[in-house]
Amino acid sequence: MNNTKKIKSALISVFHKDGLAPIVQKLDEQGVTIYSTGGTQKFINDLGVNVIPVEEVTDYPSILGGRVKTLHPKVFGGILNRQDNDSDIAEMDQYAIPQLDLVIVDLYPFEKTVASGAPEQDIIEKIDIGGISLIRAAAKNFKDTLCVSSMEDYEEVLNMLKEGNGEISLEDRRRFAAKSFNISSNYDTAIFNYFNSDHGIASLKISEMQGQVLRYGENPHQKGYFFGDFDAMFDKLHGKELSYNNLLDVDAAVNLMAEFKGEAPTFAILKHNNACGIAQRESVKQAYIDALAGDPVSAFGGILISNTSIDEATAEEIHKLFCEVVIAPSYSEAALEILKGKKNRILLIQKEVELPGTLTRTCLNGALVQDRDIITDSAENLSHATNNKPSESELEDLLFASKICKHTKSNTIVLAKGKQLCASGTGQTSRVDALRQAIEKANSFDFDLNGAVMASDAFFPFPDCVEIADKAGITSVIQPGGSIKDQLSIDYCNQHNMAMVFTGTRHFKH
């Protein structure tokens, strides 16, 4: 059975005309009758190609400032008729409806208009009515009609017309129908999300037009995909393709380093979404060296990120370590030369891009959505719970530790000293276990915890944590507070000359 269809007529009405001319010229060369409207009609005429205005078919002009042009039975009948249906064929003849085998239509740039900050009236005018209707009609009737809904597909369509001499297979028509419904569903999602920006309607609509197949998911036996515009956030300069786990670690690294934007040179090393080393110093080289000292064992195969440009001296140190990914706002030429010495090492330049305001994850048979945790603990928001107040250097360390704590898996305890991560206890079922893990780890790498500070992502229900911290040499604590037994921890601190501040904000991370 021959499922190919010869293109004999086409309706073309597009907003974006880049790349359209070769298709129009090829259709004209193949003897295709072309119908069009408005600006597209003029564009085709200017190419010296004969075109029939849609108004001649409908016997009705474009009205309401162009809001209504193609919404007419003679247009939609030409698209939706079933060419193997005798009744449809008879009605086409009865009402003099022209057959439309090819529909090339795109949509007004609604998302770009919203992103531009345009006034609402301009945004509303970019809600396409005729275009979306034509796309849906042509895609629905893919058995008889080819629907082309994006300029991204013009080159492929031109090749199909050339190779098939104007004949298009059913397989290709169905494939283009899927592309068209992808376009239309994304468009409707963008419009709904604009009108529901305050989430007054408890409905979740997510649409990502860009995606890539990953080598595998979290493990080799799982399929994996990434949906999003990675290139909008990063320039990839070197290395292998990022894996599912790489992307999760990069996400964690970017979120952590956002806390230190505009501050002194800060360098972090992450493994399995948690910082295993981070330090802030006067030079990026020293920040890297001291971050690595936080846990040189875990750093192997880690993700590295800097809040400032990586220079040659820093690159020489990094090159001694096997690492998967390096992220920075820029690199010196000499640094790139060194870091490219490992062919698989992924080098990324992070661009200035605003992260989404909401976070979404699958849960049970649905999804959980929440606001991003945008609160960063600051000195102005602290309340001093104890008689002893932290010194200026301790206060700086407390805020430094709190930023790390916010981006570490719960339950967590973070120990820091001199703006360097000494150790953290991550993802423990008990806060006491997290603290003991952090102390043991810090001791194993020869950190002197005398005068160090401790940060906790949630309150202490009992005084056991401050007692264990005190005995390890820790002198100052930052935590949210809010336990009905806060006073027990406060009393212990007062009795042992420890300082403790409350943030009033919990930072669970699961």
Side-chain angles (χ1 to χ4, degrees):
M1 182 178 178
N2 185 7
N3 286 319
T4 61
K5 289 281 183 180
K6 180 78 171 178
I7 302 295
K8 298 178 182 178
S9 59
L11 170 64
I12 307 176
S13 181
V14 297
F15 185 90
H16 303 97
K17 299 171 182 65
D18 295 346
L20 181 63
I23 293 178
V24 171
Q25 291 162 339
K26 177 55 67 175
L27 291 172
D28 182 54
E29 179 188 313
Q30 294 178 345
V32 174
T33 302
I34 299 176
Y35 301 87
S36 192
T37 63
T40 309
Q41 179 187 327
K42 181 180 182 304
F43 175 84
I44 296 171
N45 271 326
D46 290 346
L47 292 173
V49 174
N50 186 47
V51 57
I52 300 173
V54 166
E55 291 91 331
E56 288 187 13
V57 176
T58 63
D59 196 27
Y60 213 95
S62 171
I63 62 172
L64 306 181
R67 278 190 162 197
V68 181
K69 290 182 285 191
T70 56
L71 294 167
H72 193 281
K74 281 197 172 183
V75 174
F76 282 86
I79 296 170
L80 285 165
N81 73 92
R82 294 156 291 186
Q83 294 180 26
D84 60 356
N85 184 291
D86 291 339
S87 176
D88 285 8
I89 293 170
E91 288 187 6
M92 293 282 284
D93 289 339
Q94 180 182 353
Y95 297 109
I97 300 173
Q99 176 67 44
L100 295 172
D101 304 310
L102 168 63
V103 174
I104 303 179
V105 177
D106 63 5
L107 301 171
Y108 293 154
F110 178 83
E111 289 178 277
K112 286 185 178 178
T113 306
V114 172
S116 73
E120 179 156 276
Q121 186 54 43
D122 291 351
I123 292 171
I124 298 304
E125 288 304 316
K126 288 299 185 286
I127 298 177
D128 208 311
I129 304 301
I132 200 84
S133 302
L134 290 167
I135 288 172
R136 289 177 63 84
K140 173 181 177 177
N141 201 32
F142 69 87
K143 186 178 176 185
D144 294 310
T145 308
L146 174 65
C147 182
V148 181
S149 55
S150 171
M151 62 184 294
E152 304 295 329
D153 294 322
Y154 287 174
E155 185 177 349
E156 183 181 0
V157 170
L158 180 61
N159 290 333
M160 286 163 53
L161 291 170
K162 288 177 179 177
E163 293 169 6
N165 193 28
E167 293 201 354
I168 309 296
S169 69
L170 177 61
E171 179 184 10
D172 283 334
R173 296 196 302 275
R174 195 179 197 285
R175 183 165 55 85
F176 269 77
K179 289 187 175 196
S180 297
F181 285 121
N182 185 30
I183 293 281
S184 66
S185 64
N186 179 74
Y187 197 75
D188 284 337
T189 294
I191 294 170
F192 169 76
N193 286 336
Y194 171 76
F195 280 98
N196 195 44
S197 60
D198 62 351
H199 303 289
I201 300 173
S203 180
L204 176 63
K205 300 270 193 300
I206 299 174
S207 181
E208 287 289 353
M209 292 294 288
Q210 299 191 51
Q212 63 185 92
V213 180
L214 304 175
R215 293 195 304 276
Y216 50 80
E218 204 161 3
N219 299 293
H221 63 277
Q222 296 170 269
K223 292 181 180 179
Y225 309 86
F226 173 73
F227 295 101
D229 189 358
F230 185 83
D231 293 339
M233 283 200 68
F234 301 99
D235 285 330
K236 182 170 178 285
L237 305 180
H238 182 74
K240 63 183 180 181
E241 291 301 311
L242 282 96
S243 69
Y244 183 99
N245 292 328
N246 286 156
L247 289 165
L248 285 175
D249 282 331
V250 167
D251 178 70
V254 166
N255 280 285
L256 171 61
M257 196 52 70
E259 301 286 346
F260 301 94
K261 183 178 179 181
E263 296 189 12
T266 307
F267 209 106
I269 304 172
L270 288 88
K271 197 74 173 288
H272 295 291
N273 310 155
N274 295 304
C276 58
I278 180 169
Q280 188 173 88
R281 295 291 183 261
E282 291 185 3
S283 73
V284 65
K285 175 184 175 181
Q286 195 60 49
Y288 167 72
I289 290 171
D290 289 348
L292 179 63
D295 186 347
V297 175
S298 295
F300 183 85
I303 307 294
L304 280 56
I305 187 167
S306 170
N307 72 342
T308 191
S309 181
I310 291 178
D311 56 22
E312 180 179 10
T314 309
E316 287 175 344
E317 292 297 324
I318 292 172
H319 194 56
K320 299 172 185 176
L321 174 73
F322 169 71
C323 59
E324 292 270 344
V325 184
V326 183
I327 309 165
S330 62
Y331 303 81
S332 72
E333 293 278 344
L336 279 178
E337 186 79 19
I338 294 166
L339 294 174
K340 286 181 178 179
K342 298 286 177 68
K343 69 175 183 178
N344 287 330
R345 180 185 286 147
I346 299 165
L347 303 179
L348 301 176
I349 288 180
Q350 184 182 346
K351 302 177 187 177
E352 288 282 342
V353 176
E354 186 176 347
L355 295 169
T358 55
L359 305 176
T360 306
R361 64 194 296 180
T362 58
C363 180
L364 302 175
N365 62 346
L368 284 171
V369 180
Q370 67 171 345
D371 293 337
R372 180 178 293 278
D373 183 355
I374 59 172
I375 295 177
T376 297
D377 297 327
S378 62
E380 297 77 25
N381 297 323
L382 300 180
S383 61
H384 295 271
T386 53
N387 299 330
N388 193 29
K389 305 295 187 287
S391 67
E392 185 176 341
S393 62
E394 283 178 327
L395 184 58
E396 289 181 355
D397 279 347
L398 286 170
L399 294 174
F400 177 83
S402 176
K403 291 176 179 179
I404 303 167
C405 194
K406 174 182 169 183
H407 295 277
T408 305
K409 296 289 185 183
S410 299
N411 286 315
T412 184
I413 292 289
V414 168
L415 306 181
K417 184 178 179 180
K419 292 189 177 179
Q420 179 185 23
L421 174 63
C422 300
S424 59
T426 64
Q428 299 301 302
T429 53
S430 156
R431 199 160 304 281
V432 170
D433 286 346
L435 174 56
R436 285 178 173 150
Q437 181 190 58
I439 292 170
E440 180 181 350
K441 188 173 183 181
N443 289 335
S444 73
F445 291 116
D446 297 324
F447 278 101
D448 179 6
L449 293 179
N450 287 300
V453 305
M454 173 174 74
S456 174
D457 59 340
F459 62 61
F460 300 124
F462 304 103
D464 45 7
C465 280
V466 290
E467 181 179 354
I468 295 168
D470 172 44
K471 291 176 179 177
I474 291 157
T475 56
S476 196
V477 179
I478 186 169
Q479 57 128 325
S483 169
I484 59 173
K485 295 183 178 180
D486 275 343
Q487 195 60 46
L488 295 176
S489 294
I490 294 170
D491 290 344
Y492 183 92
C493 289
N494 284 335
Q495 291 163 13
H496 295 82
N497 205 32
M498 294 177 74
M500 184 162 62
V501 296
F502 289 170
T503 66
T505 304
R506 189 180 73 184
H507 293 294
F508 270 166
K509 188 172 189 290
H510 295 109

